[in-house]
Amino acid sequence: MKILSKLCVAAVIVSSALLSGSAMISTDYNNSMLNVSETMYKSNLSYAPEIPYSSSLGSVASSEYEDEIFPQKYDLRDSGIVTPVRSQGDYGTCWAVCATESLETQILKNKYESDIDLSEWHLAYFSYANNGVVSSVTDNIFRNGGNNTSAVASLSKWVGAAYEERAPYDSSQTLDESIKFTSDYLVQDVYNVSPWLSSHKSYSVPFIKKLICDKNAVSVFYNSSKDYYNPDTYSQCCLETGTEVSHAVLVVGWDDNYPKENFLEENRPENNGAWLIKNSWGEKWGDKGYFWLSYEDRSLCEAACYFCEPKDTYTNNYYYDDYGWVTSIAADSAQENLTGYMANIFTAEKNEKITAVSFYTSEPSAEYEISVYSDLTNSYSPVKGTEHPSTSGSEEYSGYHTVKLDTPVQISEGRKFSAVVKITNHKSPYTIPVDASVITTIDGLMYRNIDSFSLLTNSLSKQSFISADGANWVDVASRSYTYKYPEFLEIAGNSHKINQTIIGNVCVKAFSSSATDPNEGTLTGDLNLDLCIDMEDVIIMQRYVFGTNLSDTEFCEENADINCDDTINILDIILLKNMIVS
């Protein structure tokens, strides 16, 4: 179990023979249009931050928001919530820049601060270094590239988001391990992020407009080749299908009337209209760091929006999925049910309340039901314990979600508790998000995310479970998985094969808050305010009722009136003893 800065470190040795191919390099404004990728590293069998994208998958959610009326022109900069353009230099950190800048927009939007600069360097480094979420494929970690999947995997573990001054950009090629779990803001949700094994998805114009209209800066990927760029009008359009994405940028607005004539003649779209894009190649590139990307660009994919809350929202983060959302599996052996259950069993680090649970959903409008069980009595069943009121709902977008519990659950130090999540999809039977070691072949090339040794070092039995019915549970640690319907995974390419899938843990996290928070109240019967009701409270109650000195003991009189009759007497002592026994 991982809690805040707890970390299992596994050495990952990658043979140089596996790392053939060009290094992934992102560029600054001086040479920003080289035909290289900063989102993928490809070879005969290589560790890849992601697998390739093909626009042949088409647009998803194309019918969403088609009937909504949007303004013809929109610019988030007019709201004062877009931070300054930055330069990533000669590093493959565009993905980290987009993630942190999307968060910065949220921070300004919610008025948490009036000026904000988060560290891309911190996120990029710790996503790879020392048991990062993916294996490094170059000698320089900052040239690996990445995507929203790896960013969310790190940020959801509270590896960031950190202030810029904690790890200034290009300040050092190595960072002190002690700052890895520094989080000045905690990521809560990330819309439309995909698992490692699935390719990027394309989204419709109304879909992206809706996100921006809600004042979200949207992280997207596209093919940044200079062959599609017009430097005279700062416009870009790729009309080829099946091109690989190479760069991440931020959509901050649009113009329905942006002239199609502004694009290169050989790559001219049929209609007017373009996205206003914030790039990361410095203010000397493009139109002071911005450019226009046609609505009809066929390489455009992803539409991730990041959301966060201040660091004091929660106190502890219970999780096992070190490598984030790698793929999804079905809970039933037939791989046909659209509903599945997943659970993690944790050991409470201290007396506190579980106030939220996080998970991923692979489809929009997926339904969920969250239950927390305390004081478990069976290490092989996450539902053998004290059941508490559940929290249910649905998520409009696919991606990563943190849901606050309707009723916080008290847990006690050293006692086991579980976070159980039921997910219902509408199309795919693969409802359960897991971290895993995967090898897949696409169009004759093989890709993998991490080696199985690293995974098995972090994945142990009696941690993660799945169930088809919520009653009978299976421990998933180190299990090999074979897909019966891989078409639901939406893997790109003319031909693909999943060679190996070894499951680690399910992607469920539990977040705690202090039970002494005045907004949360206190516990009836907890007289010494240690967040636990036990015999110490009985002794304190007896001393109070029988007039023994309490000057050396913390005593909450409000919690001592067990039967709420406005008096504290022997009857309250009896009731308190019964509470403990039951």
Side-chain angles (χ1 to χ4, degrees):
M1 176 177 59
K2 313 301 186 303
I3 301 178
L4 291 179
S5 59
K6 288 195 172 183
L7 180 67
C8 295
V9 179
V12 180
I13 303 174
V14 183
S15 169
S16 60
L18 298 179
L19 301 181
S20 59
S22 302
M24 297 182 303
I25 304 174
S26 66
T27 52
D28 60 13
Y29 57 85
N30 290 321
N31 57 348
S32 59
M33 300 310 250
L34 295 177
N35 289 307
V36 296
S37 171
E38 46 175 327
T39 60
M40 182 182 65
Y41 196 100
K42 181 170 61 179
S43 72
N44 185 40
L45 174 57
S46 68
Y47 292 98
E50 68 177 354
I51 56 179
Y53 161 77
S54 170
S55 57
S56 62
L57 284 174
S59 179
V60 301
S62 58
S63 63
E64 294 289 331
Y65 315 112
E66 292 287 351
D67 296 331
E68 292 208 22
I69 299 176
F70 300 100
Q72 291 188 347
K73 191 174 183 178
Y74 194 85
D75 191 337
L76 278 178
R77 295 177 296 182
D78 296 338
S79 301
I81 58 175
V82 179
T83 50
V85 171
R86 300 185 177 98
S87 174
Q88 66 187 74
D90 280 331
Y91 297 104
T93 57
C94 61
W95 59 280
V97 173
C98 284
T100 54
E101 289 187 348
S102 181
L103 287 170
E104 289 169 357
T105 291
Q106 289 298 317
I107 292 168
L108 296 176
K109 167 186 169 182
N110 292 314
K111 302 186 186 315
Y112 293 141
E113 299 188 42
S114 59
D115 185 31
I116 184 66
D117 186 2
L118 298 176
S119 175
E120 309 87 356
W121 206 246
H122 181 278
L123 176 59
Y125 180 80
F126 287 115
S127 290
Y128 286 96
N130 301 330
N131 199 45
V133 296
V134 286
S135 298
S136 180
V137 295
T138 68
D139 292 335
N140 188 315
I141 282 176
F142 299 103
R143 299 188 191 278
N144 276 305
N147 55 21
N148 289 312
T149 305
S150 51
V152 178
S154 292
L155 292 168
S156 66
K157 296 193 300 182
W158 295 358
V159 178
Y163 287 135
E164 173 71 11
E165 58 263 30
R166 300 190 187 278
Y169 199 84
D170 204 8
S171 57
S172 174
Q173 295 299 303
T174 59
L175 297 178
D176 194 313
E177 186 71 14
S178 65
I179 68 169
K180 178 172 183 174
F181 289 92
T182 298
S183 302
D184 295 298
Y185 283 91
L186 306 179
V187 166
Q188 300 296 287
D189 293 83
V190 183
Y191 294 164
N192 309 316
V193 66
S194 301
W196 179 88
L197 187 57
S198 297
S199 300
H200 298 287
K201 297 178 181 178
S202 298
Y203 292 88
S204 67
V205 170
F207 187 94
I208 298 176
K209 282 184 176 180
K210 176 65 166 61
L211 293 172
I212 299 172
C213 262
D214 290 339
K215 291 187 168 28
N216 303 307
V218 183
S219 172
V220 299
F221 287 72
Y222 76 110
N223 188 309
S224 63
S225 169
K226 64 181 179 180
D227 295 338
Y228 311 122
Y229 180 69
N230 186 345
D232 297 326
T233 58
Y234 319 117
S235 62
Q236 176 104 2
C237 182
C238 169
L239 298 179
E240 298 178 35
T241 59
T243 58
E244 294 176 357
V245 299
S246 56
H247 188 47
V249 289
L250 215 58
V251 184
V252 297
W254 70 81
D255 185 352
D256 290 341
N257 298 314
Y258 187 83
K260 62 183 179 181
E261 291 78 15
N262 283 0
F263 299 95
L264 293 175
E265 185 175 357
E266 60 271 27
N267 284 286
R268 185 161 293 165
E270 294 184 3
N271 303 288
N272 294 338
W275 301 111
L276 176 62
I277 303 294
K278 180 187 180 185
N279 207 341
S280 54
W281 292 337
E283 292 184 347
K284 294 182 180 179
W285 181 89
D287 184 9
K288 298 181 180 179
Y290 289 81
F291 72 101
W292 294 93
L293 184 65
S294 171
Y295 291 159
E296 298 177 29
D297 187 289
R298 294 182 180 176
S299 69
L300 180 64
C301 57
E302 295 280 285
C305 301
Y306 290 71
F307 301 85
C308 63
E309 291 191 26
K311 65 179 181 180
D312 58 357
T313 304
Y314 305 110
T315 53
N316 274 333
N317 180 356
Y318 292 86
Y319 69 92
Y320 294 120
D321 56 314
D322 267 317
Y323 304 104
W325 189 18
V326 176
T327 186
S328 293
I329 62 174
D332 63 309
S333 58
Q335 301 181 20
E336 295 177 349
N337 291 349
L338 298 181
T339 294
Y341 296 77
M342 57 183 171
N344 276 333
I345 293 179
F346 303 108
T347 302
E349 286 293 297
K350 62 179 183 178
N351 299 325
E352 54 188 346
K353 284 186 177 182
I354 298 300
T355 54
V357 170
S358 75
F359 51 91
Y360 295 88
T361 57
S362 59
E363 292 182 2
S365 301
E367 300 170 5
Y368 65 82
E369 183 178 349
I370 303 169
S371 300
V372 175
Y373 292 78
S374 62
D375 300 318
L376 297 185
T377 58
N378 188 330
S379 298
Y380 294 95
S381 175
V383 297
K384 298 296 185 181
T386 302
E387 183 179 4
H388 299 271
S390 63
T391 300
S392 60
S394 63
E395 291 292 345
E396 181 177 4
Y397 301 97
S398 63
Y400 176 73
H401 315 285
T402 300
V403 177
K404 287 182 169 58
L405 301 182
D406 293 337
T407 305
V409 175
Q410 178 70 39
I411 58 174
S412 301
E413 181 178 351
R415 301 299 296 271
K416 292 188 181 298
F417 71 96
S418 66
V420 180
V421 182
K422 173 187 176 183
I423 299 289
T424 300
N425 278 348
H426 300 283
K427 297 179 180 179
S428 172
Y430 302 117
T431 58
I432 309 299
V434 296
D435 72 348
S437 174
V438 176
I439 299 177
T440 183
T441 301
I442 301 176
D443 295 338
L445 294 173
M446 297 180 70
Y447 304 84
R448 75 185 306 173
N449 59 327
I450 55 169
D451 66 279
S452 56
F453 173 77
S454 296
L455 179 82
L456 298 180
T457 301
N458 291 309
S459 176
L460 304 175
S461 63
K462 297 187 286 188
Q463 292 179 343
S464 291
F465 301 82
I466 62 173
S467 173
D469 57 11
N472 301 290
W473 293 86
V474 176
D475 192 325
V476 299
S478 308
R479 286 180 176 265
S480 179
Y481 192 82
T482 302
Y483 287 94
K484 294 182 179 181
Y485 308 105
E487 60 270 21
F488 284 109
L489 300 177
E490 298 181 317
I491 303 174
N494 296 318
S495 64
H496 64 260
K497 176 183 178 183
I498 303 173
N499 306 79
Q500 173 184 284
T501 302
I502 299 177
I503 301 171
N505 292 96
V506 300
C507 300
V508 173
K509 295 179 173 67
F511 303 106
S512 66
S513 301
S514 171
T516 57
D517 185 333
N519 295 322
E520 296 292 342
T522 54
L523 296 171
T524 299
D526 180 18
L527 306 190
N528 58 359
L529 299 179
D530 66 349
L531 309 184
C532 182
I533 303 172
D534 52 24
M535 287 305 298
E536 290 187 15
D537 297 297
V538 174
I539 294 172
I540 294 172
M541 176 87 79
Q542 291 173 336
R543 293 173 64 188
Y544 178 84
V545 171
F546 298 118
T548 307
N549 183 21
L550 285 172
S551 60
D552 61 340
T553 305
E554 185 171 20
F555 174 67
C556 180
E557 186 172 346
E558 178 184 354
N559 291 349
D561 185 11
I562 308 298
N563 60 354
C564 301
D565 64 353
D566 295 324
T567 59
I568 302 173
N569 52 36
I570 295 178
L571 182 57
D572 292 298
I573 297 176
I574 296 172
L575 292 174
L576 182 57
K577 288 182 178 180
N578 290 339
M579 287 175 61
I580 296 172
V581 172
S582 62

